[in-house]
């Protein structure tokens, strides 16, 4: 016994046009900010927090701040923050990666962010508020994803032995 085939109809042009996904239009203001803003819950006075961070990042600005709430920009990235109390703690599960080109930049961010905090492994540091940062030279990312698996492995092994990333040691490791 033969079964009848169901005819599948295609949407008409007018329907297809109506169902297209609209393009996202973003207004560009004088201050460039990303459409996603990290919202951070600190256990600290936010006037102290913003003073600490804006003293480290050259391209920074406090938009608004009081002891409980703050908005600020660090290297073009907008952050919102709230003093939520002791039940809010940061972890390695969320960190901020700072891309740098030179050892001088690595040293600057490492030295400033680790004041009152902890030096961790592989270029990671926990600041005095518990926020975790990755100070990442661009050459590190290039080397640990190198097309040559031997160079990739040597660079990875060199990185795993470091706390603060040393660019010269990384470069030497792949020779």
């Amino acid at each position: 016994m033969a079964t009848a085939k169901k005819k599948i109809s295609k949407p008409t042009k007018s329907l297809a046009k109506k169902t297209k996904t609209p393009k996202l239009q973003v207004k560009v203001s004088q201050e460039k900010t990303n459409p996603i803003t990290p919202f951070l819950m600190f256990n600290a006075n936010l006037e102290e927090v913003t003073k600490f961070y804006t003293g480290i990042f050259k391209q920074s600005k406090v938009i608004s701040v009081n002891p409980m709430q703050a908005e600020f920009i660090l290297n073009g990235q907008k952050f919102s923050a709230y003093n939520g109390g002791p039940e809010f703690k940061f972890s390695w599960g969320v960190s901020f990666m700072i891309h740098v080109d030179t050892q001088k930049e690595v040293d600057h961010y490492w030295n400033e962010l680790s004041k009152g905090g902890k030096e961790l492994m592989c270029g990671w540091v926990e600041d005095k508020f518990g926020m975790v940062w990755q100070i990442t030279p661009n050459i590190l990312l290039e080397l640990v994803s190198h097309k040559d698996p031997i160079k990739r492995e040597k660079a990875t092994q060199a990185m795993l032995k470091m706390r603060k990333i040393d660019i010269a040691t990384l470069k030497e490791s792949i020779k």
Side-chain angles (χ1 to χ4, degrees), residues 57 75 97-110 123 134-142 165 167:
F57 293 87
N75 287 359
M97 184 181 286
I98 305 168
H99 294 270
V100 298
D101 290 314
T102 67
Q103 190 65 47
K104 184 177 178 180
E105 291 172 299
V106 169
D107 296 344
H108 166 74
Y109 288 116
W110 185 268
Q134 298 177 52
I135 296 105
T136 308
N138 292 318
I139 188 71
L140 170 65
L141 297 175
E142 291 172 26
I165 301 299
I167 294 172

Side-chain angles (χ1 to χ4, degrees), residues 28 35 39 52 60 68 80 83 86 97-98 117 122 131 154 170:
V28 179
F39 184 88
F52 178 71
S60 62
M68 294 299 293
S80 289
N83 182 353
M97 184 181 286
I98 305 168
C122 305
M131 179 59 64
K154 286 180 177 182
L170 275 176

Side-chain angles (χ1 to χ4, degrees), residues 3 16 26 32 38 45-46 54 59 71 74 83 97 113 115 118 126 128-130 133 137 153 156 158 163:
T3 57
V26 179
K32 183 183 173 195
N45 179 318
L46 295 180
T54 58
Q59 297 174 344
E71 284 193 334
L74 304 176
N83 182 353
M97 184 181 286
L113 288 168
K115 284 181 184 173
K118 294 184 215 173
E126 181 180 317
K128 67 181 179 177
F129 300 109
W133 301 85
E153 181 61 22
T156 299
R163 285 194 178 270

